[in-house]
């Protein structure tokens, strides 16, 4: 079986940080690594995909140089932090040395979560959150990758539809909640909904 790694931008994680004994930082790294590993190893390729936290986006260019130098099949996966139309500009300005090794979560990681509202529903049910209105489903009339500020949108959905176990408006928390949502996503649905995910997975068939 072929083994490759995806180096993923990691929220609040900096590989150069001296705070290696920070328990909260350590736990979030483990959670994200596990979540993305579960997600990407749903693939039906004869490829074992490893997940390596990239840390800050500022590490991306140096990591890309390392991948090129080692002739590795590894790739980077980072937030675009912009509409899809800005993808080529970002590649040209920051990753022109090997654009085929860089893939984006468009617009951000939360866009993937927004594309599968049933995952949000299931998480909130499992967390014993109370729905504000019985039978009201999470809906919006726009493609997930077209939603600007997806992290804010996701939090607004939590607050709009659910109350937590303490009777307060439910909230989305990037490091505590996101891994639990990511691991529940369907890779096949992401491939259908995001061209960038489809292109990423195709690289592992070459």
């Amino acid at each position: 079986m072929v083994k490759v790694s995806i180096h993923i931008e990691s929220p609040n994680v900096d590989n150069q940080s001296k705070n290696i004994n920070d328990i909260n930082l350590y736990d979030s790294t483990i959670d994200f690594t596990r979540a993305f590993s579960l997600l990407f190893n749903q693939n039906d390729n004869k490829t074992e995909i490893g997940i390596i936290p990239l840390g800050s986006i500022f590490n991306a260019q140096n990591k890309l140089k390392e991948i090129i130098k080692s002739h590795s099949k590894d790739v980077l996966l980072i937030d675009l932090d912009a509409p899809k139309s800005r993808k080529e500009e970002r590649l040209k300005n920051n990753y022109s040395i090997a654009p085929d090794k860089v893939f984006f979560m468009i617009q951000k990681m939360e866009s993937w979560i927004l594309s599968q509202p049933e995952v949000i529903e299931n998480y909130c049910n499992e967390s014993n959150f109370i729905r504000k209105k019985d039978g009201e489903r999470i809906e919006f009339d726009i493609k997930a990758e077209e939603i600007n500020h997806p992290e804010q949108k996701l939090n607004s959905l939590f607050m709009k539809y659910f109350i937590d176990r303490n009777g307060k408006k439910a909230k989305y928390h990037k490091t505590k909640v996101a891994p639990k949502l990511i691991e529940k996503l369907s890779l096949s649905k992401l491939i259908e909904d995001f061209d960038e995910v489809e292109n990423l997975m195709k690289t592992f068939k070459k």
Side-chain angles (χ1 to χ4, degrees), residues 5 7-8 54 56-78 90-104:
S5 293
H7 299 259
I8 298 184
L54 178 63
S56 166
I57 186 62
F58 299 109
N59 296 329
Q61 291 182 340
N62 287 335
K63 179 54 65 175
L64 184 58
K65 292 176 183 177
E66 290 178 15
I67 291 173
I68 296 170
K69 186 176 181 180
S70 66
H71 303 288
S72 167
K73 292 186 177 181
D74 290 4
V75 297
L76 303 185
L77 179 61
I78 57 182
R90 179 108 181 259
L91 285 172
K92 180 180 179 180
N93 291 341
N94 298 287
Y95 308 106
S96 59
I97 57 173
D100 59 321
K101 291 286 189 179
V102 181
F103 296 87
F104 295 105

Side-chain angles (χ1 to χ4, degrees), residues 8 33-43 49 51 77 112 116 181-188 190 197 201:
I8 298 184
T33 301
R34 176 181 179 277
F36 277 108
S37 180
L38 288 171
L39 171 62
F40 281 110
N41 282 292
Q42 294 174 26
N43 81 91
I49 300 176
I51 302 298
L77 179 61
W112 290 8
Q116 297 181 30
L181 296 168
I182 291 291
E183 69 182 34
K184 296 177 184 295
L185 294 175
S186 164
L187 179 60
S188 61
L190 290 178
V197 180
M201 299 312 297

Side-chain angles (χ1 to χ4, degrees), residues 120-132 158-159 161-172 177:
I120 304 171
E121 299 270 7
N122 291 338
Y123 167 78
C124 290
N125 289 335
E126 292 173 3
S127 300
N128 295 318
F129 289 176
I130 300 171
R131 184 179 292 280
K132 290 185 176 181
F158 270 73
M159 297 176 69
Y161 290 98
F162 297 97
I163 297 173
D164 67 20
R165 287 171 288 186
N166 297 317
K168 299 179 180 180
K169 288 183 179 179
K171 293 183 179 181
Y172 166 72
V177 176

Side-chain angles (χ1 to χ4, degrees), residues 75-173:
V75 297
L76 303 185
L77 179 61
I78 57 182
D79 287 336
L80 181 60
D81 288 315
K84 186 178 182 179
S85 59
R86 300 286 299 278
K87 172 189 166 183
E88 295 304 322
E89 175 189 348
R90 179 108 181 259
L91 285 172
K92 180 180 179 180
N93 291 341
N94 298 287
Y95 308 106
S96 59
I97 57 173
D100 59 321
K101 291 286 189 179
V102 181
F103 296 87
F104 295 105
M105 292 177 276
I106 302 174
Q107 297 185 21
K108 298 184 71 171
M109 174 185 70
E110 283 79 11
S111 302
W112 290 8
I113 298 170
L114 288 169
S115 74
Q116 297 181 30
E118 66 276 10
V119 168
I120 304 171
E121 299 270 7
N122 291 338
Y123 167 78
C124 290
N125 289 335
E126 292 173 3
S127 300
N128 295 318
F129 289 176
I130 300 171
R131 184 179 292 280
K132 290 185 176 181
K133 294 182 181 179
D134 290 339
E136 186 179 35
R137 308 296 294 178
I138 297 175
E139 296 179 337
F140 40 86
D141 300 323
I142 186 173
K143 291 178 65 176
E145 69 179 11
E146 296 174 358
I147 297 174
N148 295 323
H149 309 295
E151 186 174 354
Q152 295 177 20
K153 177 64 174 180
L154 188 53
N155 188 52
S156 71
L157 292 178
F158 270 73
M159 297 176 69
K160 177 180 179 180
Y161 290 98
F162 297 97
I163 297 173
D164 67 20
R165 287 171 288 186
N166 297 317
K168 299 179 180 180
K169 288 183 179 179
K171 293 183 179 181
Y172 166 72
H173 191 283

